[in-house]
Amino acid sequence: MIGNIHSIETLGTVDGPGIRYIIFTQGCLLRCQFCHNADTWEIGTGKQMTVSEIIDDLKTYLPFIEASGGGITVSGGEPLLQIPFLIALFKECRKLGIHTTIDSSGGCYSTNAHFQEQFEELLEYTDLILMDLKHIDKEKHKKLTGLTNEHILAFARHLSDKNVPVWVRHVLVPGTTDAPADLEQLGKFIGTLKNVKKVEVLPYHKLGVYKWEALGLEYPLKDVEPPSEASVEQAYELLTAEVEYI
Ligand code: SF4
């Protein structure tokens, strides 16, 4: 089984518990204005890697990963564009007792039978999902990411119904995703979910701007500066006001 891979980071520390072997998959349906991985957008490109190539490489880091309570995280791009590959990869990880995590925006989530059947199988082998909720307002979500958010909210509800543990993540972009009323609404939505282990506010940063420039694209947030610590704290309060953690 082959995956289209953008890159691999062998000892990541922020995308899930412990030390993580992080695979960035190639391809995404969203076009987030703050994306720091714009070079992962194109579908069907990247480096083709087999599951066994990845597992062989991962095994060399296992002592560090296991000692830290870590595991594997598949990020992107959007990992759920390559579900059959993820199933094959996570099955092998299960055999080795490796904790499995997916970092997803749910941007390609669908209720169609084919997607659901594959997704159902993938969840059997998935320990944690880092679920990116970009904006609660449908039109603002479209402006920010290129798509409206109905299917992403459905993705979140589905994971809650199935009791799949999630870390909810929200990128705080001044002037775009930081309006208190929107954060309060998003917090109310998060409060309805029954599977939340953690909520993280990720301060917007400009580290990926050079990738937009390399792709010949104009960066839409070039005048926006990172948020203050106080506004990150305030956002966290609003997002977690109604959460009952698992
Ligand atoms: S979902 Fe992630 S990879 Fe896709 S555009 Fe948004 S930030 Fe970039």
Side-chain angles (χ1 to χ4, degrees):
M1 182 59 75
I2 286 172
N4 290 86
I5 307 301
H6 171 270
S7 56
I8 289 176
E9 185 184 328
T10 49
L11 299 171
T13 54
V14 292
D15 294 312
I19 293 176
R20 316 294 302 178
Y21 184 93
I22 305 175
I23 300 174
F24 295 92
T25 55
Q26 184 69 32
C28 189
L29 297 184
L30 300 189
R31 294 292 180 264
C32 301
Q33 290 183 343
F34 54 73
C35 184
H36 56 270
N37 288 327
D39 51 346
T40 64
W41 287 350
E42 200 182 344
I43 293 173
T45 56
K47 184 180 178 191
Q48 297 208 320
M49 291 185 76
T50 64
V51 167
S52 48
E53 270 177 309
I54 291 172
I55 293 288
D56 285 348
D57 186 44
L58 193 167
K59 275 180 178 166
T60 62
Y61 303 96
L62 260 189
F64 305 106
I65 289 171
E66 284 176 343
S68 71
I72 185 171
T73 298
V74 186
S75 184
E78 174 51 65
L80 298 182
L81 286 171
Q82 302 185 56
I83 293 184
F85 167 72
L86 292 191
I87 293 171
L89 178 66
F90 280 10
K91 272 186 181 171
E92 289 306 308
C93 290
R94 268 288 154 85
K95 283 185 203 160
L96 295 166
I98 299 169
H99 181 272
T100 55
T101 296
I102 297 169
D103 178 12
S104 172
S105 69
C108 66
Y109 178 78
S110 166
T111 51
N112 83 41
H114 180 63
F115 183 94
Q116 286 293 323
E117 195 183 316
Q118 290 189 334
F119 190 48
E120 213 54 41
E121 186 178 358
L122 176 61
L123 290 182
E124 286 175 34
Y125 302 99
T126 304
D127 296 313
L128 176 69
I129 295 195
L130 311 181
M131 184 174 71
D132 307 322
L133 296 180
K134 318 269 188 196
H135 212 300
I136 192 67
D137 181 90
K138 184 174 141 184
E139 290 309 320
K140 291 178 189 169
H141 191 282
K142 185 167 183 190
K143 189 167 175 231
L144 180 67
T145 72
L147 293 179
T148 56
N149 61 0
E150 297 94 327
H151 62 303
I152 289 166
L153 300 180
F155 171 64
R157 282 190 210 99
H158 181 100
L159 295 177
S160 174
D161 291 345
K162 295 282 174 184
N163 294 313
V164 181
V166 297
W167 290 9
V168 176
R169 298 174 129 187
H170 180 70
V171 179
L172 197 68
V173 187
T176 303
T177 69
D178 65 343
D182 291 329
L183 291 168
E184 202 181 314
Q185 277 305 111
L186 182 54
K188 282 189 193 304
F189 176 76
I190 295 169
T192 66
L193 305 175
K194 308 274 177 264
N195 58 338
V196 178
K197 276 193 103 159
K198 195 172 181 179
V199 175
E200 291 185 317
V201 176
L202 308 178
Y204 160 75
H205 61 73
K206 294 185 168 182
L207 297 179
V209 176
Y210 73 96
K211 295 185 179 179
W212 287 69
E213 287 163 0
L215 291 165
L217 300 170
E218 191 176 343
Y219 186 64
L221 302 176
K222 58 178 181 291
D223 297 326
V224 177
E225 293 303 322
S228 67
E229 224 170 275
S231 58
V232 171
E233 273 169 35
Q234 189 202 17
Y236 182 79
E237 295 302 322
L238 291 169
L239 293 182
T240 56
E242 299 188 16
V243 175
E244 284 184 37
Y245 291 103
I246 55 167

